Amino acid sequence: NRWLTCRSLPPGALERIAETVADRLRVPWFAGAVKINVSLVPPLVLLPVFLHVAALHFLLGLVVLTSLPVVVLWYYYLTHRRKERTLFFLSLGLFSLGYMYYVFLQEVVPRGHVGYSQVVTLTCGLILMLAALSRAKKDPGYLPIPAGCNTKSSHQGLPNKSVRGSSNGFHGIATSGAASSRAVNGEAKGSSRMSAEEPEGVKKDWCTKCQLVRPARAGHCRLCGRCVRRLDHHCVWINSCVGERNHQAFILALSFFMLTAVYGITLTLHTICRGRTPFVALFYCPGAYSDYSSALSFTCVWYCAIVTAGMGYILLIQLLNISYNVTEREARLALRDNTGRRLLGGLVIDTGQYNRGFLCNWGHFLSLGSSPPQRSAEDIV
Protein backbone atom coordinates (compact mmCIF):
# COMPACT_ATOMS: atom_id res chain seq x y z
CA ASN A 1 0.00 0.00 0.00
CA ARG A 2 2.82 2.40 0.85
CA TRP A 3 4.55 1.56 -2.42
CA LEU A 4 1.41 2.21 -4.46
CA THR A 5 0.74 5.50 -2.65
CA CYS A 6 4.41 6.56 -3.00
CA ARG A 7 4.93 6.74 0.74
CA SER A 8 8.21 5.77 2.36
CA LEU A 9 8.53 2.42 4.09
CA PRO A 10 9.24 2.31 7.83
CA PRO A 11 12.83 1.43 8.79
CA GLY A 12 13.54 -2.29 8.64
CA ALA A 13 10.38 -3.16 6.68
CA LEU A 14 12.21 -4.80 3.79
CA GLU A 15 14.35 -6.85 6.18
CA ARG A 16 11.25 -8.10 8.01
CA ILE A 17 9.57 -8.99 4.70
CA ALA A 18 12.65 -10.94 3.58
CA GLU A 19 12.84 -12.79 6.91
CA THR A 20 9.14 -13.70 6.71
CA VAL A 21 9.47 -15.02 3.15
CA ALA A 22 12.57 -17.03 4.13
CA ASP A 23 10.73 -18.50 7.13
CA ARG A 24 7.67 -19.50 5.05
CA LEU A 25 9.74 -21.13 2.30
CA ARG A 26 9.42 -24.79 3.30
CA VAL A 27 9.16 -28.20 1.60
CA PRO A 28 6.72 -30.88 2.81
CA TRP A 29 8.43 -33.89 4.37
CA PHE A 30 7.50 -37.01 6.30
CA ALA A 31 8.51 -35.62 9.69
CA GLY A 32 7.14 -32.17 8.93
CA ALA A 33 7.88 -29.26 6.63
CA VAL A 34 11.59 -28.62 6.15
CA LYS A 35 12.81 -25.04 6.00
CA ILE A 36 14.88 -24.19 2.92
CA ASN A 37 17.81 -21.83 3.12
CA VAL A 38 17.02 -19.04 0.65
CA SER A 39 20.66 -18.71 -0.37
CA LEU A 40 20.51 -22.20 -1.91
CA VAL A 41 17.86 -21.27 -4.45
CA PRO A 42 19.43 -18.56 -6.71
CA PRO A 43 22.25 -20.73 -8.13
CA LEU A 44 19.85 -23.58 -8.91
CA VAL A 45 17.54 -21.28 -10.86
CA LEU A 46 19.69 -18.50 -12.29
CA LEU A 47 22.80 -20.40 -13.44
CA PRO A 48 21.07 -22.56 -16.11
CA VAL A 49 18.99 -19.58 -17.25
CA PHE A 50 22.02 -17.32 -17.65
CA LEU A 51 24.06 -19.97 -19.47
CA HIS A 52 21.25 -20.77 -21.88
CA VAL A 53 20.70 -17.06 -22.57
CA ALA A 54 24.43 -16.61 -23.15
CA ALA A 55 24.36 -19.43 -25.71
CA LEU A 56 21.85 -17.57 -27.89
CA HIS A 57 24.35 -15.06 -29.28
CA PHE A 58 28.00 -14.10 -28.94
CA LEU A 59 27.21 -10.64 -27.55
CA LEU A 60 24.78 -12.07 -25.00
CA GLY A 61 27.47 -14.51 -23.92
CA LEU A 62 29.95 -11.66 -23.50
CA VAL A 63 27.52 -9.66 -21.35
CA VAL A 64 26.45 -12.61 -19.17
CA LEU A 65 29.93 -14.03 -18.60
CA THR A 66 31.21 -10.56 -17.72
CA SER A 67 28.39 -9.75 -15.32
CA LEU A 68 28.36 -13.08 -13.46
CA PRO A 69 31.75 -12.60 -11.69
CA VAL A 70 30.78 -9.03 -10.83
CA VAL A 71 27.52 -10.15 -9.22
CA VAL A 72 29.25 -12.93 -7.27
CA LEU A 73 31.94 -10.56 -5.98
CA TRP A 74 29.30 -7.99 -5.02
CA TYR A 75 27.38 -10.61 -3.03
CA TYR A 76 30.60 -11.75 -1.36
CA TYR A 77 31.50 -8.27 -0.16
CA LEU A 78 27.89 -7.69 0.96
CA THR A 79 27.81 -10.78 3.17
CA HIS A 80 31.40 -10.26 4.32
CA ARG A 81 30.66 -6.74 5.47
CA ARG A 82 27.59 -7.92 7.40
CA LYS A 83 29.55 -10.85 8.85
CA GLU A 84 26.93 -13.31 7.59
CA ARG A 85 27.31 -16.99 6.81
CA THR A 86 25.69 -18.06 3.55
CA LEU A 87 25.30 -21.27 1.58
CA PHE A 88 25.15 -19.37 -1.71
CA PHE A 89 28.78 -19.99 -2.69
CA LEU A 90 28.77 -23.65 -1.67
CA SER A 91 25.51 -24.16 -3.57
CA LEU A 92 26.89 -22.32 -6.59
CA GLY A 93 30.07 -24.39 -6.60
CA LEU A 94 28.40 -27.79 -6.23
CA PHE A 95 25.60 -27.04 -8.69
CA SER A 96 28.11 -25.66 -11.21
CA LEU A 97 30.05 -28.92 -11.03
CA GLY A 98 26.91 -30.99 -11.47
CA TYR A 99 25.52 -28.88 -14.30
CA MET A 100 28.82 -28.75 -16.21
CA TYR A 101 29.10 -32.53 -15.91
CA TYR A 102 25.52 -32.89 -17.16
CA VAL A 103 26.19 -30.64 -20.19
CA PHE A 104 29.37 -32.60 -20.91
CA LEU A 105 27.49 -35.92 -20.95
CA GLN A 106 24.50 -34.58 -22.88
CA GLU A 107 26.14 -32.33 -25.46
CA VAL A 108 29.81 -33.31 -25.82
CA VAL A 109 30.02 -37.09 -25.35
CA PRO A 110 27.31 -37.96 -27.96
CA ARG A 111 29.45 -36.33 -30.69
CA GLY A 112 31.69 -39.40 -30.57
CA HIS A 113 35.04 -37.69 -30.10
CA VAL A 114 35.36 -38.47 -26.38
CA GLY A 115 36.33 -42.01 -25.46
CA TYR A 116 34.97 -44.16 -22.63
CA SER A 117 38.26 -44.04 -20.75
CA GLN A 118 38.28 -40.23 -20.88
CA VAL A 119 34.77 -40.06 -19.42
CA VAL A 120 35.83 -42.45 -16.63
CA THR A 121 38.94 -40.36 -15.91
CA LEU A 122 36.89 -37.17 -15.70
CA THR A 123 34.32 -38.87 -13.46
CA CYS A 124 37.02 -40.22 -11.12
CA GLY A 125 38.57 -36.77 -10.82
CA LEU A 126 35.18 -35.32 -9.93
CA ILE A 127 34.58 -38.01 -7.29
CA LEU A 128 38.03 -37.50 -5.74
CA MET A 129 37.46 -33.75 -5.62
CA LEU A 130 34.09 -34.20 -3.87
CA ALA A 131 35.66 -36.62 -1.39
CA ALA A 132 38.39 -34.12 -0.53
CA LEU A 133 35.77 -31.37 -0.28
CA SER A 134 33.73 -33.49 2.13
CA ARG A 135 36.81 -33.91 4.30
CA ALA A 136 37.53 -30.18 4.15
CA LYS A 137 34.01 -29.49 5.42
CA LYS A 138 34.72 -31.29 8.69
CA ASP A 139 36.15 -29.87 11.91
CA PRO A 140 38.95 -27.42 10.99
CA GLY A 141 40.39 -27.63 14.50
CA TYR A 142 37.94 -25.79 16.74
CA LEU A 143 39.21 -25.12 20.23
CA PRO A 144 36.90 -26.59 22.88
CA ILE A 145 34.86 -23.97 24.71
CA PRO A 146 35.19 -24.41 28.49
CA ALA A 147 32.10 -26.02 30.02
CA GLY A 148 29.81 -23.63 31.86
CA CYS A 149 31.61 -20.65 30.41
CA ASN A 150 29.55 -17.53 29.76
CA THR A 151 31.01 -15.93 26.65
CA LYS A 152 29.51 -12.59 27.62
CA SER A 153 31.37 -12.43 30.90
CA SER A 154 34.70 -10.73 31.17
CA HIS A 155 37.90 -12.50 32.10
CA GLN A 156 37.81 -11.70 35.80
CA GLY A 157 40.31 -13.15 38.16
CA LEU A 158 43.07 -13.25 35.55
CA PRO A 159 45.96 -10.84 35.80
CA ASN A 160 45.87 -8.13 33.18
CA LYS A 161 49.49 -8.76 32.35
CA SER A 162 48.92 -12.38 31.41
CA VAL A 163 46.26 -11.88 28.79
CA ARG A 164 45.54 -9.55 25.91
CA GLY A 165 41.98 -8.69 24.84
CA SER A 166 40.78 -9.59 21.41
CA SER A 167 37.24 -9.04 20.22
CA ASN A 168 37.36 -8.10 16.56
CA GLY A 169 37.86 -11.48 14.92
CA PHE A 170 40.45 -11.45 12.12
CA HIS A 171 41.25 -7.78 12.53
CA GLY A 172 41.39 -7.78 16.30
CA ILE A 173 43.99 -10.50 16.73
CA ALA A 174 47.64 -9.59 16.42
CA THR A 175 50.15 -12.16 15.32
CA SER A 176 52.92 -13.25 17.61
CA GLY A 177 55.45 -11.41 15.48
CA ALA A 178 53.45 -8.20 15.67
CA ALA A 179 53.05 -8.62 19.43
CA SER A 180 56.80 -9.08 19.81
CA SER A 181 57.47 -5.99 17.70
CA ARG A 182 55.12 -3.85 19.77
CA ALA A 183 56.65 -5.20 22.96
CA VAL A 184 60.05 -4.07 21.80
CA ASN A 185 58.72 -0.61 20.99
CA GLY A 186 57.06 -0.38 24.37
CA GLU A 187 53.56 -0.37 22.88
CA ALA A 188 52.33 -3.72 24.18
CA LYS A 189 49.49 -3.47 26.66
CA GLY A 190 50.28 -6.73 28.38
CA SER A 191 52.32 -9.88 28.06
CA SER A 192 50.89 -13.17 26.81
CA ARG A 193 51.26 -16.53 28.44
CA MET A 194 54.12 -18.71 27.34
CA SER A 195 53.82 -22.44 26.78
CA ALA A 196 56.66 -24.79 27.59
CA GLU A 197 56.01 -26.77 24.43
CA GLU A 198 56.15 -23.75 22.08
CA PRO A 199 59.39 -22.29 20.70
CA GLU A 200 60.87 -19.24 22.32
CA GLY A 201 59.15 -16.07 21.20
CA VAL A 202 55.85 -17.80 20.36
CA LYS A 203 53.06 -16.47 22.54
CA LYS A 204 49.49 -17.25 23.45
CA ASP A 205 46.69 -14.78 23.87
CA TRP A 206 43.26 -14.51 25.41
CA CYS A 207 40.01 -14.61 23.45
CA THR A 208 37.23 -12.65 25.12
CA LYS A 209 34.63 -14.25 22.84
CA CYS A 210 35.38 -17.90 23.66
CA GLN A 211 36.83 -17.18 27.13
CA LEU A 212 39.96 -19.26 26.64
CA VAL A 213 43.67 -18.91 26.07
CA ARG A 214 44.49 -19.53 22.44
CA PRO A 215 47.64 -21.47 21.50
CA ALA A 216 50.10 -19.99 19.06
CA ARG A 217 48.74 -19.24 15.54
CA ALA A 218 45.14 -19.88 16.58
CA GLY A 219 42.53 -17.25 15.79
CA HIS A 220 38.88 -16.40 16.30
CA CYS A 221 36.59 -16.60 13.25
CA ARG A 222 33.98 -13.87 13.44
CA LEU A 223 31.68 -15.80 11.07
CA CYS A 224 31.79 -19.17 12.85
CA GLY A 225 32.09 -17.64 16.31
CA ARG A 226 34.79 -20.13 17.34
CA CYS A 227 38.54 -20.16 17.79
CA VAL A 228 40.42 -22.41 15.36
CA ARG A 229 43.90 -23.88 15.66
CA ARG A 230 46.29 -22.46 13.07
CA LEU A 231 43.46 -20.51 11.46
CA ASP A 232 44.16 -19.71 7.82
CA HIS A 233 40.89 -18.10 6.69
CA HIS A 234 37.15 -18.61 6.48
CA CYS A 235 36.38 -19.98 3.02
CA VAL A 236 32.96 -19.06 1.66
CA TRP A 237 33.17 -21.81 -0.97
CA ILE A 238 33.04 -24.52 1.71
CA ASN A 239 31.15 -22.36 4.25
CA SER A 240 33.70 -23.27 6.90
CA CYS A 241 37.05 -22.26 8.30
CA VAL A 242 40.34 -23.60 6.98
CA GLY A 243 42.52 -24.56 9.90
CA GLU A 244 44.96 -27.09 11.24
CA ARG A 245 42.82 -30.19 10.70
CA ASN A 246 41.36 -29.53 7.23
CA HIS A 247 43.99 -27.39 5.48
CA GLN A 248 45.49 -30.41 3.70
CA ALA A 249 42.07 -31.55 2.47
CA PHE A 250 41.33 -28.01 1.28
CA ILE A 251 44.51 -27.94 -0.83
CA LEU A 252 43.75 -31.43 -2.13
CA ALA A 253 40.22 -30.40 -3.16
CA LEU A 254 41.55 -27.34 -4.99
CA SER A 255 44.17 -29.44 -6.77
CA PHE A 256 41.68 -32.09 -7.90
CA PHE A 257 39.31 -29.35 -9.06
CA MET A 258 42.02 -27.69 -11.15
CA LEU A 259 43.09 -30.95 -12.79
CA THR A 260 39.53 -32.08 -13.48
CA ALA A 261 38.37 -28.69 -14.78
CA VAL A 262 41.34 -28.26 -17.13
CA TYR A 263 40.89 -31.82 -18.42
CA GLY A 264 37.16 -31.29 -19.03
CA ILE A 265 37.76 -27.96 -20.78
CA THR A 266 40.38 -29.57 -23.02
CA LEU A 267 38.09 -32.47 -24.00
CA THR A 268 35.22 -30.10 -24.80
CA LEU A 269 37.32 -27.73 -26.90
CA HIS A 270 38.85 -30.64 -28.83
CA THR A 271 35.31 -31.75 -29.66
CA ILE A 272 33.64 -28.49 -30.73
CA CYS A 273 36.77 -26.79 -32.17
CA ARG A 274 38.64 -29.59 -33.84
CA GLY A 275 42.06 -28.91 -35.29
CA ARG A 276 42.95 -26.15 -32.84
CA THR A 277 44.85 -26.16 -29.59
CA PRO A 278 42.70 -25.57 -26.48
CA PHE A 279 44.18 -22.12 -25.80
CA VAL A 280 43.59 -20.92 -29.36
CA ALA A 281 40.13 -22.51 -29.49
CA LEU A 282 39.14 -20.71 -26.31
CA PHE A 283 39.52 -17.35 -28.08
CA TYR A 284 38.93 -18.33 -31.70
CA CYS A 285 36.39 -21.01 -32.55
CA PRO A 286 34.44 -20.00 -35.71
CA GLY A 287 31.93 -22.86 -35.54
CA ALA A 288 31.07 -22.46 -31.88
CA TYR A 289 27.75 -20.69 -32.54
CA SER A 290 26.78 -22.66 -35.65
CA ASP A 291 24.28 -24.70 -33.64
CA TYR A 292 22.78 -24.32 -30.17
CA SER A 293 24.46 -27.45 -28.77
CA SER A 294 27.94 -26.18 -29.67
CA ALA A 295 27.08 -22.69 -28.41
CA LEU A 296 25.95 -24.04 -25.02
CA SER A 297 29.07 -26.20 -24.71
CA PHE A 298 31.32 -23.27 -25.64
CA THR A 299 29.54 -20.99 -23.14
CA CYS A 300 29.98 -23.58 -20.39
CA VAL A 301 33.67 -23.88 -21.31
CA TRP A 302 34.13 -20.14 -20.83
CA TYR A 303 32.22 -20.25 -17.54
CA CYS A 304 34.47 -23.10 -16.36
CA ALA A 305 37.55 -21.19 -17.52
CA ILE A 306 36.57 -18.11 -15.46
CA VAL A 307 35.90 -20.20 -12.35
CA THR A 308 39.09 -22.22 -12.86
CA ALA A 309 41.16 -19.05 -13.18
CA GLY A 310 39.77 -17.77 -9.87
CA MET A 311 40.36 -21.07 -8.09
CA GLY A 312 43.83 -21.29 -9.64
CA TYR A 313 44.73 -17.93 -8.14
CA ILE A 314 43.51 -19.09 -4.71
CA LEU A 315 45.54 -22.30 -5.03
CA LEU A 316 48.66 -20.37 -6.08
CA ILE A 317 48.42 -18.07 -3.04
CA GLN A 318 47.89 -21.07 -0.76
CA LEU A 319 50.94 -22.92 -2.15
CA LEU A 320 53.11 -19.83 -1.77
CA ASN A 321 51.92 -19.29 1.80
CA ILE A 322 52.70 -22.91 2.65
CA SER A 323 56.18 -22.53 1.13
CA TYR A 324 56.84 -19.60 3.48
CA ASN A 325 54.91 -21.16 6.41
CA VAL A 326 52.52 -18.26 6.78
CA THR A 327 48.73 -18.35 7.00
CA GLU A 328 46.44 -15.94 5.17
CA ARG A 329 45.33 -14.49 8.49
CA GLU A 330 48.93 -13.87 9.55
CA ALA A 331 49.66 -12.24 6.19
CA ARG A 332 46.72 -9.85 6.59
CA LEU A 333 47.75 -8.90 10.10
CA ALA A 334 51.36 -8.43 9.00
CA LEU A 335 50.18 -6.05 6.28
CA ARG A 336 48.05 -4.16 8.77
CA ASP A 337 50.88 -3.86 11.29
CA ASN A 338 53.59 -3.38 8.63
CA THR A 339 55.63 -6.28 10.02
CA GLY A 340 56.01 -8.45 6.91
CA ARG A 341 57.94 -8.44 3.66
CA ARG A 342 56.20 -8.47 0.28
CA LEU A 343 57.72 -11.10 -1.98
CA LEU A 344 57.07 -12.24 -5.56
CA GLY A 345 55.36 -9.03 -6.52
CA GLY A 346 53.18 -9.00 -3.41
CA LEU A 347 51.73 -12.49 -3.93
CA VAL A 348 53.09 -13.64 -0.58
CA ILE A 349 53.79 -11.86 2.71
CA ASP A 350 56.72 -13.33 4.63
CA THR A 351 56.43 -12.62 8.35
CA GLY A 352 59.73 -14.43 9.00
CA GLN A 353 58.50 -15.86 12.28
CA TYR A 354 57.79 -19.45 11.27
CA ASN A 355 59.77 -19.66 8.02
CA ARG A 356 62.30 -22.50 8.34
CA GLY A 357 63.04 -23.08 4.66
CA PHE A 358 61.06 -24.57 1.79
CA LEU A 359 61.44 -28.25 2.70
CA CYS A 360 60.90 -27.77 6.43
CA ASN A 361 57.86 -25.60 5.79
CA TRP A 362 56.25 -28.23 3.57
CA GLY A 363 57.20 -30.96 6.01
CA HIS A 364 55.45 -28.99 8.75
CA PHE A 365 52.34 -28.58 6.58
CA LEU A 366 52.17 -32.27 5.63
CA SER A 367 52.38 -33.22 9.32
CA LEU A 368 49.43 -31.03 10.35
CA GLY A 369 46.83 -32.96 12.30
CA SER A 370 48.96 -36.13 12.35
CA SER A 371 48.88 -36.19 16.14
CA PRO A 372 46.42 -34.57 18.54
CA PRO A 373 47.83 -31.36 20.01
CA GLN A 374 48.96 -31.50 23.61
CA ARG A 375 46.87 -29.45 25.97
CA SER A 376 48.26 -27.83 29.04
CA ALA A 377 46.36 -26.54 32.07
CA GLU A 378 46.59 -23.05 30.65
CA ASP A 379 44.50 -24.04 27.61
CA ILE A 380 41.41 -24.48 29.80
CA VAL A 381 40.06 -21.51 31.73
Side-chain angles (χ1 to χ4, degrees), residues 274-286:
R274 299 191 60 80
R276 290 181 174 85
T277 62
F279 183 79
V280 174
L282 191 62
F283 295 95
Y284 182 71
C285 185

Side-chain angles (χ1 to χ4, degrees), residues 120-130 256-257 260:
V120 171
T121 302
L122 185 69
T123 305
C124 290
L126 186 62
I127 293 174
L128 290 174
M129 192 278 295
L130 292 176
F256 278 129
F257 172 80
T260 305

